[in-house]
Amino acid sequence: EVQLVESGGGLVKPGGSLRLSCAASGFTFSSYSMNWVRQAPGKGLEWVSSISSSSSYIYYADSVKGRFTISRDNAKNSLYLQMNSLRAEDTAVYYCASRTGGFDYWGQGTLVTVSS
Amino acid sequence: IQLTQSPSFLSASVGDRVTITCRASQGISSYLAWYQQKPGKAPKLLIYAASTLQSGVPSRFSGSGSGTEFTLTISSLQPEDFATYYCQQLNSYPYSFGQGTKLEIK
């Protein structure tokens, strides 16, 4: 069974940092591109970042470029999102998702709250 | 690439046939996916490549379109289909989602 489990969310002050993790199991993690998607409270989905299977290609939304860093460790079947210089508008549930045709498997999400 | 869904809200009854439209600001070939999301849950992939049904998704869901205009059709609404639906383009980065269509029970 495919499982994606996010962790690392929490309450952080504006300007602070947080590192999210996504543990994958049940599929060949190293063969798939991976993604982060977020959803602010009561709002729609926003794509955040993508990383190719070998980490050769990395993309970010303009809203997080220069502040967030996506990475992966295929030996540990894990995806990461380092978030620096956090702002109130980064408050959201953050999901990791794998991609084949679409974003076919999603984790349950981890809540990040940026507030003083 | 901006995606605009219509309508944003839709009220329908069990058994109804409903259609949601997604328009892209520029051509995206068939690189479009549809998702269903229920409150407090992660999105679920329904359709990818505009018209390919994801494994395990009921056949009452169908997708069509290419270029800039796409539709998601539910042929006969079931109680479990009341949710919010999103389209997403995967033609080019930055990937983008539509604003969502909330499907409510009439």
Side-chain angles (χ1 to χ4, degrees):
Chain A
E1 178 194 6
V2 171
Q3 273 203 313
L4 294 171
V5 180
E6 301 96 337
S7 60
L11 176 63
V12 61
K13 289 182 168 54
S17 298
L18 217 50
R19 189 194 196 207
L20 306 184
S21 299
C22 171
S25 61
F27 67 107
T28 307
F29 178 77
S30 59
S31 297
Y32 293 89
S33 66
M34 294 296 296
N35 309 271
W36 288 99
V37 175
R38 68 184 181 183
Q39 187 169 36
K43 302 298 184 182
L45 302 171
E46 179 186 13
W47 170 80
V48 172
S49 183
S50 296
I51 186 169
S52 63
S53 57
S54 61
S55 303
S56 298
Y57 301 98
I58 288 174
Y59 304 92
Y60 297 100
D62 285 346
S63 57
V64 307
K65 200 173 294 182
R67 300 187 298 122
F68 290 12
T69 302
I70 192 172
S71 63
R72 64 190 297 162
D73 186 336
N74 287 341
K76 295 183 178 179
N77 289 343
S78 293
L79 175 73
Y80 306 102
L81 187 68
Q82 177 66 43
M83 303 187 295
N84 298 331
S85 303
L86 283 161
R87 306 166 180 167
E89 54 265 36
D90 295 319
T91 294
V93 174
Y94 286 73
Y95 297 101
C96 63
S98 61
R99 186 202 166 173
T100 51
F103 287 11
D104 47 358
Y105 292 105
W106 296 65
Q108 83 289 349
T110 188
L111 176 63
V112 173
T113 303
V114 184
S115 175
S116 55
Chain B
I1 298 172
Q2 189 170 4
L3 298 181
T4 303
Q5 290 181 230
S6 59
S8 294
F9 297 93
L10 181 55
S11 183
S13 301
V14 173
D16 283 354
R17 178 184 179 92
V18 299
T19 297
I20 299 169
T21 298
C22 178
R23 289 188 173 88
S25 59
Q26 63 189 76
I28 57 171
S29 186
S30 295
Y31 292 100
L32 189 100
W34 289 96
Y35 301 87
Q36 176 193 68
Q37 187 180 32
K38 296 182 179 179
K41 300 293 188 182
K44 173 187 175 183
L45 177 64
L46 299 175
I47 287 169
Y48 62 94
S51 60
T52 303
L53 200 65
Q54 174 72 351
S55 176
V57 173
S59 59
R60 62 180 179 273
F61 292 92
S62 64
S64 66
S66 66
T68 61
E69 186 151 338
F70 302 85
T71 59
L72 171 70
T73 298
I74 310 172
S75 60
S76 178
L77 275 173
Q78 299 301 300
E80 60 268 29
D81 299 337
F82 292 94
T84 300
Y85 293 84
Y86 295 93
C87 59
Q88 180 199 25
Q89 68 84 15
L90 299 107
N91 179 72
S92 61
Y93 289 100
Y95 289 165
S96 46
F97 289 90
Q99 82 278 13
T101 294
K102 187 172 184 179
L103 178 54
E104 298 180 326
I105 301 174
K106 185 183 287 185

